[in-house]
Amino acid sequence: MKCSCSKVFLYKVFTTVIMVILLLVLLTGCGKKKASISTSPDISQATQPKKQEQGISSVSELNTHTCKLTGEAVYQGDEHQIIAVMINNEPGAIPQSSLSQAEYLYEALIEGGATRIMAIYHHTYPKKVGPIRSARPYFMQIAKSLNAYYVHCGGSPQAYRLFKQNYIPHIDAIYTGGGIFYRTSDRKAPHNLYSTMENLVKYFEKKGYKKQQSYKYYSLAEEVTNKYTSENSEVKIQFSGWYYVRYEYDPVKKVYMRFVKDKPHTDKEKGLQLFAKNLIILVAKYATIKNDDKGRQEVDFSKGKGYLLQEGKTIPVIYTFDLKNSFTIKDSDNKEVKLLKGNTWFEIVPQYGKIEIK
């Protein structure tokens, strides 16, 4: 009987020791697991979005990739297809959205004495672009020469003939659904059609149009390198009897501030006045298309003369155009122009227009 009790006692002691050991192991394990969640850098980094991961070395990232159109440091991951968007420039459409984020901007006369603007985007993702308007063949030529994809809402009969020939990859808001385009209630049609750059990029990617491997861009410089003949502080460009634009040189910012007539031309989204780091004025031959019921224009800019304005200096230029090289622009010494780092406005002025440089 004594032996039996001793065995029971030993068994209870042994069981208790085992349970204590198991409890200590479990508690130790839980403590380690809790510490690893709160302190592990690997876990916290893994939850960051891709763009934030790139931002960890933002300085080196910015310094290793340059936008070929502007010369500005950009995130390589932000580079998308070169996209040309037709922008309404009639009085009811001003101010427009996100022109300040375009790298190149082309302004040319359309019917009725108004102008239209084609904005080129390559590294920016504006959330609202527009108002978007219809296509014209001469804008399509420029877009094609840049190897760009073309965005518009409708077009002239001449433009649709080119689309039927697959002249350029494009998206037409009239025939495109899927929520890519939208209208706002603050303006009346046709001055209220917009899209986002994200929507446009995704559309072209879905269609198989990836980032262009080659495209037109100009040599860049830190300062004015081409031969100039005079200095300037203001330029007035008269496109038609009722429409003109002005640029005033800001010597502090070293850019040309843009005015539509006498009012500052602003970006609706940012509220800032538009400007040009490089202002290129090209004189072209305009003619009204015969038997066109709207008085639409055809434009010959195969060659001509003009001006390049940079940092208060006036550089007379001659130019040629073809679909392979776009606009080739040379100074009076027959040297190709170099653009300053920043955006560029191209003003394609009719031969009967007036250019006053002061």
Side-chain angles (χ1 to χ4, degrees):
M1 188 73 177
K2 185 178 180 180
C3 182
S4 177
C5 291
S6 177
K7 286 182 180 181
V8 170
F9 174 78
L10 289 174
Y11 176 78
K12 288 182 177 182
V13 170
F14 178 78
T15 303
T16 301
V17 171
I18 293 298
M19 290 179 66
V20 169
I21 292 173
L22 287 174
L23 182 61
L24 288 173
V25 171
L26 288 172
L27 289 173
T28 303
C30 291
K32 286 183 179 179
K33 186 174 182 181
K34 184 176 181 179
S36 67
I37 291 174
S38 61
T39 62
S40 171
D42 294 334
I43 293 175
S44 62
Q45 287 180 6
T47 60
Q48 299 297 316
K50 186 176 181 180
K51 285 195 175 182
Q52 289 185 355
E53 288 177 359
Q54 293 175 344
I56 292 171
S57 56
S58 59
V59 175
S60 60
E61 284 278 349
L62 281 171
N63 291 337
T64 55
H65 192 74
T66 301
C67 174
K68 292 181 179 179
L69 303 183
T70 65
E72 296 170 331
V74 295
Y75 290 108
Q76 187 171 7
D78 286 346
E79 186 173 274
H80 57 74
Q81 312 99 317
I82 300 173
I83 295 179
V85 185
M86 291 303 302
I87 303 294
N88 189 341
N89 196 46
E90 295 176 28
I94 298 173
Q96 300 93 333
S97 296
S98 303
L99 288 181
S100 63
Q101 297 187 56
E103 284 95 347
Y104 290 171
L105 300 106
Y106 295 82
E107 182 173 20
L109 192 67
I110 58 170
E111 61 276 9
T115 65
R116 194 152 290 172
I117 296 170
M118 183 173 71
I120 307 299
Y121 299 92
H122 189 28
H123 287 97
T124 57
Y125 284 83
K127 295 180 179 180
K128 186 178 181 182
V129 182
I132 298 171
R133 283 302 299 270
S134 56
R136 295 294 181 271
Y138 40 98
F139 282 109
M140 294 166 64
Q141 284 180 285
I142 298 171
K144 185 177 178 69
S145 74
L146 299 172
N147 202 16
Y149 305 146
Y150 192 69
V151 180
H152 63 105
C153 177
S156 65
Q158 299 83 6
Y160 272 112
R161 282 197 286 270
L162 291 176
F163 289 133
K164 289 181 180 179
Q165 299 170 18
N166 296 319
Y167 184 78
I168 188 172
H170 72 106
I171 177 173
D172 187 344
I174 290 180
Y175 301 105
T176 305
I180 297 174
F181 298 92
Y182 64 93
R183 291 193 182 274
T184 60
S185 59
D186 60 332
R187 294 174 175 176
K188 295 181 179 180
H191 309 308
N192 61 349
L193 181 70
Y194 300 88
S195 186
T196 70
M197 191 53 55
E198 183 178 4
N199 282 348
L200 298 173
V201 167
K202 288 180 178 179
Y203 172 85
F204 285 115
E205 285 180 346
K206 187 176 180 180
K207 292 293 183 179
Y209 297 115
K210 305 300 182 182
K211 285 192 295 186
Q212 296 87 338
Q213 297 301 310
S214 62
Y215 51 89
K216 171 70 178 186
Y217 58 91
Y218 295 87
S219 298
L220 297 164
E222 297 286 347
E223 58 185 18
V224 179
T225 60
N226 293 98
K227 183 178 180 179
Y228 62 92
T229 57
S230 61
E231 296 187 347
N232 62 72
S233 60
E234 180 183 348
V235 58
K236 179 181 178 181
I237 305 170
Q238 189 90 34
F239 278 88
S240 66
W242 64 271
Y243 178 81
Y244 63 88
V245 293
R246 292 194 306 108
Y247 290 88
E248 293 182 2
Y249 180 61
D250 185 329
V252 176
K253 297 179 180 179
K254 296 185 177 182
V255 296
Y256 291 88
M257 308 304 294
R258 179 177 163 92
F259 297 78
V260 174
K261 295 187 176 181
D262 294 316
K263 294 183 179 180
H265 192 182
T266 60
D267 187 307
K268 189 174 186 293
E269 302 310 303
K270 294 182 177 294
L272 301 175
Q273 187 173 359
L274 300 174
F275 63 84
K277 182 65 176 179
N278 305 280
L279 178 57
I280 298 176
I281 305 169
L282 305 175
V283 180
K285 297 177 182 178
Y286 282 74
T288 302
I289 299 173
K290 292 181 179 180
N291 300 321
D292 187 276
D293 60 343
K294 302 294 184 181
R296 297 182 182 93
Q297 301 292 297
E298 55 185 5
V299 186
D300 177 6
F301 41 63
S302 57
K303 62 179 180 179
K305 297 180 180 181
Y307 303 94
L308 166 61
L309 275 60
Q310 294 176 323
E311 294 191 349
K313 298 176 175 62
T314 304
I315 303 168
V317 299
I318 57 174
Y319 74 88
T320 58
F321 176 88
D322 60 64
L323 292 177
K324 182 179 180 181
N325 301 295
S326 195
F327 288 105
T328 300
I329 306 170
K330 297 182 179 181
D331 64 14
S332 57
D333 287 335
N334 205 37
K335 294 181 179 179
E336 288 200 35
V337 299
K338 290 188 177 181
L339 301 184
L340 300 178
K341 293 182 178 180
N343 71 336
T344 301
W345 277 81
F346 295 78
E347 301 288 356
I348 303 174
V349 184
Q351 72 276 20
Y352 49 81
K354 294 180 180 179
I355 303 168
E356 300 177 19
I357 302 175
K358 301 177 182 180

